[in-house]
Amino acid sequence: MIKKIKVLAIAFCLIFVAMPTLSGCQSKNEIVMWDSYYVGFSDASIPRSEWYITQAISRFKEQNPQYKNLSIRYENIPHSMESISLFKNVSINGTAPDIVTLWSSSYAMSVKEYLLPLDDYITQEEKDTITGWWSVSDGLKDGGSPIYGYPTNDGGIVCIFYNKTLVNSLGLNFENDAPYNFDEFLDVCEIIKTAGETPLLISYQDGSQDAATISYWYGQAVGGAEHFSRLNTGEVKFSTEEAFSHAIEQQKKLYDLSYTNVDVLTADSRTVGNRFIAGQGAMTIGNTWLIAAFYPEMGESLGMMVLPNITDDAQIKNTGTGGPGLLLGVGKNSKRKQASVDFIKFLESKDEMLEFVKYNPRVIPNRTDIDYETALTNPLLKQQARWIKENGSVAWLDNVIPSNVSDEWFRLAPLYFTGSLSKSEYLRLLDEAF
Amino acid sequence: MKRFKINRNYILPAISIVFLTMIFVIPFFTTLTKSFISTQGDSTVIGFENYRRLFSHAFFSQMTCNTIILATAVPITIFISLWIVYYFSNNRNLLHLVRVVSLIPYILPIIVYGFLVSYVFGYKGSANNLMQWLNFEPREWLANHAATMTIIISIIIWASFGQGIFIFSIAIQNLNKRYIQLAEVDGCSRMQIFFKIIVPNIGKYILFFSISLFLWCITGAFPLIQILTNGGPGYMSTTLDYYTYIKAFLSNSDYGVACASAVVQLLIILCFFATVITIRVIGKKYHVAS
């Protein structure tokens, strides 16, 4: 009996103590990579050997004989804000991966103490050809130092997608006569609403809508990221920012005038997207990746235009919210720092970005030495790349302000738009969140 | 040399104690400790700062109220399940059938209810279809605070009354039937028998069920809120346990405030226990005195 109990006790110890400890172990010649980008955007149902990242690892080892015995263990993590907390937790516990992809800007900066500064590894040529260094640099500005990673995933810009068939049937022609400013946009919405159609399908449930439109309209007026960062230093406040106040007032009009879907508070982005594809609304607002969802279903009936300018005299015009969304970084306590950086450099090289675009045709590579006209195949993606080249883009406000403030912003915005919170109260609570 | 002997009677309890220490005691003290230190970069002791930040949150009172509102499911569930058991207690076969059927909602995962209800009460769901059929305007049920809380409480009741029926049917079966027969001979109504004989005599069972259900309401409604509303709009349907999740795992996590929120939940639970114990102690004294 005693023997059986002893066996049980040992089994218990093995299960609850030894296994979790062993699972965190890493062999000497191994790099662990946590990522949400290289597989998250592709079809995870295809065999692992066909994944872009698996093939990239093989190419890396072929081209770098010194790493032929190196093993790169790839682990897919959620493409969400939770990945920041996850990385923070494992860094505190000393089990952080060697390479990690994180949401860039303020999200990544909130865990910068666990990331290796890469200034000594990055070459001038890389700084000149890769775009978006501001989003991975301390202080969130070009030329900022230390640099905590390589910027990647230029997600294009946020645009208005519209149903050409539906819009044209109402006598509107956005291809030649798109609404230029917000007042013209409201006029267009009125025409669509009068015809009995829903002008705009959007979701206020998760905050991404706010992040997209308010960032743009506010950023257009004040000049973008550099001004946004003054909120962090306390030089300006939400409650005293005329441009922010104007932007949220305009956004509220869309709800007040019933230009949005009725269930804007509870419908999620996916539901809204499905309704747009089904022709239940004339327009929707979203990022580049929606092209991949809409285009195969709607084909030539899918139209795209830039968001209306908040005013005619805005500093930045005719583009959208955008910029690199991810940071490829190295864990501060990595035991294979050089190998990790070399692998990141490999992924960020021109040849590999072109390979990735072939594999994942919904990505706009963030390198200036890539010709978008030949590298990209989708006409809408090409159009986005042209807009970015001509007019730049406005940074996401939530990428610049601290993420806890963004959280509060996304939670409180629906209360303001529906009238549950007054504007002054809403702005006061946002200021208090800093 | 004296040989060390292990008393086999202590081995299994010892394993349980070690297990409980790992799963409950250590996390409890870790949570308590972290609620007093800064978890934003440096780990310095900051006293009650995390609590101050929690209490000064503009929607803290709303979140606390939501947490307590969910607990109203406890008396309602107890009453419904107890009444059903009493109603069918004269027919053992029927009671057996009711007991089995009512356990079905209990064994279904709560997350399934969340999805089902989100389809029913979504804007394009069957509740609004019914409203339109009855010539009423469709409503955004899950964007309305009162409607959302009512829906969540209803799900808790629906998912847990089967367990109540199971417990109370055992309790009533163990009850001395002569009390009820004597009361019936004395001309007591069913309602009088229910409140004057049944309820006082199965107090221990009610206490057990109410404690377990209360704990579930305070700490277990998280998946429902996550699926139905994400705690929104704003913080309208956020409870303290959901807020703990927001602060601990979303975005730039702030474990200090999350731990403080968890400790406040624990205090609410302790207040409930203190009230229950006080009522029992006073009840016993009153019983002895009378």
Side-chain angles (χ1 to χ4, degrees), chain A residues 1 4-6 8-9, chain B residues 6-19:
Chain A
M1 179 66 184
K4 277 184 184 172
I5 291 170
K6 278 180 183 172
L8 269 174
Chain B
I6 299 171
N7 186 337
R8 67 180 64 178
N9 296 332
Y10 295 134
I11 293 176
L12 281 176
I15 291 173
S16 304
I17 288 167
V18 170
F19 184 74

PDB file of all heavy atoms in Angstrom, chain A residues 1 4-6 8-9, chain B residues 6-19:
ATOM      1  N   MET A   1       0.836  -1.209   0.000  1.00  0.00           N
ATOM      2  CA  MET A   1       0.000   0.000   0.000  1.00  0.00           C
ATOM      3  C   MET A   1       0.869   1.257   0.000  1.00  0.00           C
ATOM      4  O   MET A   1       0.683   2.160  -0.805  1.00  0.00           O
ATOM      5  CB  MET A   1      -0.924  -0.046   1.229  1.00  0.00           C
ATOM      6  CG  MET A   1      -1.839   1.158   1.374  1.00  0.00           C
ATOM      7  SD  MET A   1      -3.054   1.247   0.041  1.00  0.00           S
ATOM      8  CE  MET A   1      -3.846   2.777   0.453  1.00  0.00           C
ATOM      9  N   LYS A   4       2.486   1.802  -3.249  1.00  0.00           N
ATOM     10  CA  LYS A   4       1.588   2.368  -4.259  1.00  0.00           C
ATOM     11  C   LYS A   4       1.441   3.875  -4.060  1.00  0.00           C
ATOM     12  O   LYS A   4       1.445   4.653  -5.022  1.00  0.00           O
ATOM     13  CB  LYS A   4       0.205   1.709  -4.162  1.00  0.00           C
ATOM     14  CG  LYS A   4       0.122   0.388  -4.888  1.00  0.00           C
ATOM     15  CD  LYS A   4      -1.291  -0.142  -4.813  1.00  0.00           C
ATOM     16  CE  LYS A   4      -1.371  -1.519  -5.464  1.00  0.00           C
ATOM     17  NZ  LYS A   4      -2.679  -2.138  -5.249  1.00  0.00           N
ATOM     18  N   ILE A   5       1.313   4.247  -2.794  1.00  0.00           N
ATOM     19  CA  ILE A   5       1.149   5.678  -2.498  1.00  0.00           C
ATOM     20  C   ILE A   5       2.406   6.449  -2.888  1.00  0.00           C
ATOM     21  O   ILE A   5       2.337   7.555  -3.428  1.00  0.00           O
ATOM     22  CB  ILE A   5       0.802   5.878  -1.002  1.00  0.00           C
ATOM     23  CG1 ILE A   5      -0.619   5.337  -0.749  1.00  0.00           C
ATOM     24  CG2 ILE A   5       0.865   7.340  -0.603  1.00  0.00           C
ATOM     25  CD1 ILE A   5      -0.996   5.246   0.692  1.00  0.00           C
ATOM     26  N   LYS A   6       3.571   5.817  -2.631  1.00  0.00           N
ATOM     27  CA  LYS A   6       4.826   6.477  -3.011  1.00  0.00           C
ATOM     28  C   LYS A   6       4.895   6.680  -4.520  1.00  0.00           C
ATOM     29  O   LYS A   6       5.291   7.736  -5.009  1.00  0.00           O
ATOM     30  CB  LYS A   6       6.016   5.636  -2.545  1.00  0.00           C
ATOM     31  CG  LYS A   6       6.374   5.848  -1.090  1.00  0.00           C
ATOM     32  CD  LYS A   6       7.561   4.987  -0.732  1.00  0.00           C
ATOM     33  CE  LYS A   6       7.891   5.127   0.740  1.00  0.00           C
ATOM     34  NZ  LYS A   6       8.902   4.159   1.144  1.00  0.00           N
ATOM     35  N   LEU A   8       2.394   6.889  -6.507  1.00  0.00           N
ATOM     36  CA  LEU A   8       1.424   7.945  -6.829  1.00  0.00           C
ATOM     37  C   LEU A   8       2.003   9.331  -6.568  1.00  0.00           C
ATOM     38  O   LEU A   8       1.852  10.258  -7.353  1.00  0.00           O
ATOM     39  CB  LEU A   8       0.159   7.765  -5.986  1.00  0.00           C
ATOM     40  CG  LEU A   8      -0.952   6.920  -6.604  1.00  0.00           C
ATOM     41  CD1 LEU A   8      -2.062   6.735  -5.587  1.00  0.00           C
ATOM     42  CD2 LEU A   8      -1.502   7.602  -7.848  1.00  0.00           C
ATOM     43  N   ALA A   9       2.675   9.444  -5.412  1.00  0.00           N
ATOM     44  CA  ALA A   9       3.258  10.735  -5.031  1.00  0.00           C
ATOM     45  C   ALA A   9       4.322  11.167  -6.033  1.00  0.00           C
ATOM     46  O   ALA A   9       4.385  12.329  -6.431  1.00  0.00           O
ATOM     47  CB  ALA A   9       3.859  10.633  -3.626  1.00  0.00           C
TER      48      ALA A   9
ATOM     49  N   ILE B   6       6.586   6.208   8.524  1.00  0.00           N
ATOM     50  CA  ILE B   6       5.564   7.125   8.005  1.00  0.00           C
ATOM     51  C   ILE B   6       4.200   6.566   8.373  1.00  0.00           C
ATOM     52  O   ILE B   6       3.903   5.404   8.094  1.00  0.00           O
ATOM     53  CB  ILE B   6       5.674   7.265   6.472  1.00  0.00           C
ATOM     54  CG1 ILE B   6       7.042   7.824   6.096  1.00  0.00           C
ATOM     55  CG2 ILE B   6       4.571   8.157   5.927  1.00  0.00           C
ATOM     56  CD1 ILE B   6       7.320   7.803   4.605  1.00  0.00           C
ATOM     57  N   ASN B   7       3.427   7.397   9.032  1.00  0.00           N
ATOM     58  CA  ASN B   7       2.063   6.975   9.330  1.00  0.00           C
ATOM     59  C   ASN B   7       1.244   7.092   8.050  1.00  0.00           C
ATOM     60  O   ASN B   7       1.059   8.184   7.517  1.00  0.00           O
ATOM     61  CB  ASN B   7       1.486   7.884  10.431  1.00  0.00           C
ATOM     62  CG  ASN B   7       0.129   7.391  10.890  1.00  0.00           C
ATOM     63  OD1 ASN B   7      -0.560   6.680  10.153  1.00  0.00           O
ATOM     64  ND2 ASN B   7      -0.227   7.758  12.100  1.00  0.00           N
ATOM     65  N   ARG B   8       0.807   5.942   7.538  1.00  0.00           N
ATOM     66  CA  ARG B   8       0.145   5.939   6.228  1.00  0.00           C
ATOM     67  C   ARG B   8      -1.139   6.757   6.233  1.00  0.00           C
ATOM     68  O   ARG B   8      -1.596   7.210   5.199  1.00  0.00           O
ATOM     69  CB  ARG B   8      -0.127   4.506   5.780  1.00  0.00           C
ATOM     70  CG  ARG B   8      -1.140   3.763   6.624  1.00  0.00           C
ATOM     71  CD  ARG B   8      -1.329   2.368   6.108  1.00  0.00           C
ATOM     72  NE  ARG B   8      -0.099   1.575   6.221  1.00  0.00           N
ATOM     73  CZ  ARG B   8      -0.033   0.304   5.875  1.00  0.00           C
ATOM     74  NH1 ARG B   8      -1.082  -0.297   5.361  1.00  0.00           N
ATOM     75  NH2 ARG B   8       1.067  -0.380   6.022  1.00  0.00           N
ATOM     76  N   ASN B   9      -1.699   6.988   7.413  1.00  0.00           N
ATOM     77  CA  ASN B   9      -2.936   7.784   7.467  1.00  0.00           C
ATOM     78  C   ASN B   9      -2.711   9.241   7.058  1.00  0.00           C
ATOM     79  O   ASN B   9      -3.652   9.949   6.731  1.00  0.00           O
ATOM     80  CB  ASN B   9      -3.527   7.767   8.880  1.00  0.00           C
ATOM     81  CG  ASN B   9      -3.951   6.369   9.264  1.00  0.00           C
ATOM     82  OD1 ASN B   9      -4.298   5.564   8.395  1.00  0.00           O
ATOM     83  ND2 ASN B   9      -3.894   6.054  10.554  1.00  0.00           N
ATOM     84  N   TYR B  10      -1.443   9.675   7.160  1.00  0.00           N
ATOM     85  CA  TYR B  10      -1.167  11.081   6.861  1.00  0.00           C
ATOM     86  C   TYR B  10      -0.742  11.323   5.418  1.00  0.00           C
ATOM     87  O   TYR B  10      -0.664  12.460   4.980  1.00  0.00           O
ATOM     88  CB  TYR B  10      -0.065  11.615   7.786  1.00  0.00           C
ATOM     89  CG  TYR B  10      -0.469  11.656   9.238  1.00  0.00           C
ATOM     90  CD1 TYR B  10       0.378  11.191  10.235  1.00  0.00           C
ATOM     91  CD2 TYR B  10      -1.721  12.172   9.611  1.00  0.00           C
ATOM     92  CE1 TYR B  10       0.000  11.220  11.573  1.00  0.00           C
ATOM     93  CE2 TYR B  10      -2.105  12.206  10.935  1.00  0.00           C
ATOM     94  CZ  TYR B  10      -1.241  11.727  11.918  1.00  0.00           C
ATOM     95  OH  TYR B  10      -1.617  11.769  13.225  1.00  0.00           O
ATOM     96  N   ILE B  11      -0.450  10.247   4.686  1.00  0.00           N
ATOM     97  CA  ILE B  11       0.161  10.451   3.361  1.00  0.00           C
ATOM     98  C   ILE B  11      -0.800  11.117   2.381  1.00  0.00           C
ATOM     99  O   ILE B  11      -0.478  12.141   1.777  1.00  0.00           O
ATOM    100  CB  ILE B  11       0.682   9.113   2.794  1.00  0.00           C
ATOM    101  CG1 ILE B  11       1.855   8.647   3.664  1.00  0.00           C
ATOM    102  CG2 ILE B  11       1.144   9.285   1.345  1.00  0.00           C
ATOM    103  CD1 ILE B  11       2.409   7.299   3.286  1.00  0.00           C
ATOM    104  N   LEU B  12      -1.996  10.553   2.242  1.00  0.00           N
ATOM    105  CA  LEU B  12      -2.930  11.133   1.267  1.00  0.00           C
ATOM    106  C   LEU B  12      -3.373  12.556   1.644  1.00  0.00           C
ATOM    107  O   LEU B  12      -3.371  13.446   0.789  1.00  0.00           O
ATOM    108  CB  LEU B  12      -4.127  10.211   1.069  1.00  0.00           C
ATOM    109  CG  LEU B  12      -3.853   9.017   0.143  1.00  0.00           C
ATOM    110  CD1 LEU B  12      -5.067   8.103   0.079  1.00  0.00           C
ATOM    111  CD2 LEU B  12      -3.456   9.463  -1.251  1.00  0.00           C
ATOM    112  N   PRO B  13      -3.710  12.787   2.964  1.00  0.00           N
ATOM    113  CA  PRO B  13      -4.019  14.186   3.314  1.00  0.00           C
ATOM    114  C   PRO B  13      -2.835  15.114   3.036  1.00  0.00           C
ATOM    115  O   PRO B  13      -3.032  16.251   2.603  1.00  0.00           O
ATOM    116  CB  PRO B  13      -4.316  14.118   4.816  1.00  0.00           C
ATOM    117  CG  PRO B  13      -4.707  12.720   5.060  1.00  0.00           C
ATOM    118  CD  PRO B  13      -3.968  11.880   4.083  1.00  0.00           C
ATOM    119  N   ALA B  14      -1.617  14.601   3.246  1.00  0.00           N
ATOM    120  CA  ALA B  14      -0.435  15.444   3.021  1.00  0.00           C
ATOM    121  C   ALA B  14      -0.333  15.835   1.552  1.00  0.00           C
ATOM    122  O   ALA B  14      -0.044  16.991   1.228  1.00  0.00           O
ATOM    123  CB  ALA B  14       0.826  14.712   3.461  1.00  0.00           C
ATOM    124  N   ILE B  15      -0.603  14.861   0.665  1.00  0.00           N
ATOM    125  CA  ILE B  15      -0.558  15.165  -0.778  1.00  0.00           C
ATOM    126  C   ILE B  15      -1.602  16.229  -1.112  1.00  0.00           C
ATOM    127  O   ILE B  15      -1.335  17.178  -1.845  1.00  0.00           O
ATOM    128  CB  ILE B  15      -0.798  13.883  -1.607  1.00  0.00           C
ATOM    129  CG1 ILE B  15       0.394  12.946  -1.445  1.00  0.00           C
ATOM    130  CG2 ILE B  15      -1.010  14.207  -3.088  1.00  0.00           C
ATOM    131  CD1 ILE B  15       0.199  11.580  -2.072  1.00  0.00           C
ATOM    132  N   SER B  16      -2.793  16.071  -0.518  1.00  0.00           N
ATOM    133  CA  SER B  16      -3.855  17.057  -0.769  1.00  0.00           C
ATOM    134  C   SER B  16      -3.440  18.439  -0.296  1.00  0.00           C
ATOM    135  O   SER B  16      -3.684  19.444  -0.975  1.00  0.00           O
ATOM    136  CB  SER B  16      -5.141  16.657  -0.043  1.00  0.00           C
ATOM    137  OG  SER B  16      -5.513  15.384  -0.434  1.00  0.00           O
ATOM    138  N   ILE B  17      -2.800  18.460   0.892  1.00  0.00           N
ATOM    139  CA  ILE B  17      -2.400  19.763   1.444  1.00  0.00           C
ATOM    140  C   ILE B  17      -1.342  20.415   0.544  1.00  0.00           C
ATOM    141  O   ILE B  17      -1.414  21.612   0.248  1.00  0.00           O
ATOM    142  CB  ILE B  17      -1.890  19.600   2.895  1.00  0.00           C
ATOM    143  CG1 ILE B  17      -3.091  19.292   3.812  1.00  0.00           C
ATOM    144  CG2 ILE B  17      -1.173  20.862   3.381  1.00  0.00           C
ATOM    145  CD1 ILE B  17      -2.720  18.798   5.183  1.00  0.00           C
ATOM    146  N   VAL B  18      -0.391  19.609   0.087  1.00  0.00           N
ATOM    147  CA  VAL B  18       0.639  20.149  -0.813  1.00  0.00           C
ATOM    148  C   VAL B  18      -0.013  20.677  -2.085  1.00  0.00           C
ATOM    149  O   VAL B  18       0.285  21.779  -2.556  1.00  0.00           O
ATOM    150  CB  VAL B  18       1.687  19.058  -1.160  1.00  0.00           C
ATOM    151  CG1 VAL B  18       2.618  19.530  -2.274  1.00  0.00           C
ATOM    152  CG2 VAL B  18       2.484  18.685   0.070  1.00  0.00           C
ATOM    153  N   PHE B  19      -0.946  19.904  -2.620  1.00  0.00           N
ATOM    154  CA  PHE B  19      -1.635  20.295  -3.851  1.00  0.00           C
ATOM    155  C   PHE B  19      -2.415  21.598  -3.646  1.00  0.00           C
ATOM    156  O   PHE B  19      -2.318  22.534  -4.432  1.00  0.00           O
ATOM    157  CB  PHE B  19      -2.578  19.160  -4.264  1.00  0.00           C
ATOM    158  CG  PHE B  19      -3.272  19.415  -5.567  1.00  0.00           C
ATOM    159  CD1 PHE B  19      -2.581  19.314  -6.766  1.00  0.00           C
ATOM    160  CD2 PHE B  19      -4.609  19.756  -5.598  1.00  0.00           C
ATOM    161  CE1 PHE B  19      -3.214  19.558  -7.973  1.00  0.00           C
ATOM    162  CE2 PHE B  19      -5.252  20.001  -6.803  1.00  0.00           C
ATOM    163  CZ  PHE B  19      -4.557  19.902  -7.980  1.00  0.00           C
TER     164      PHE B  19
END
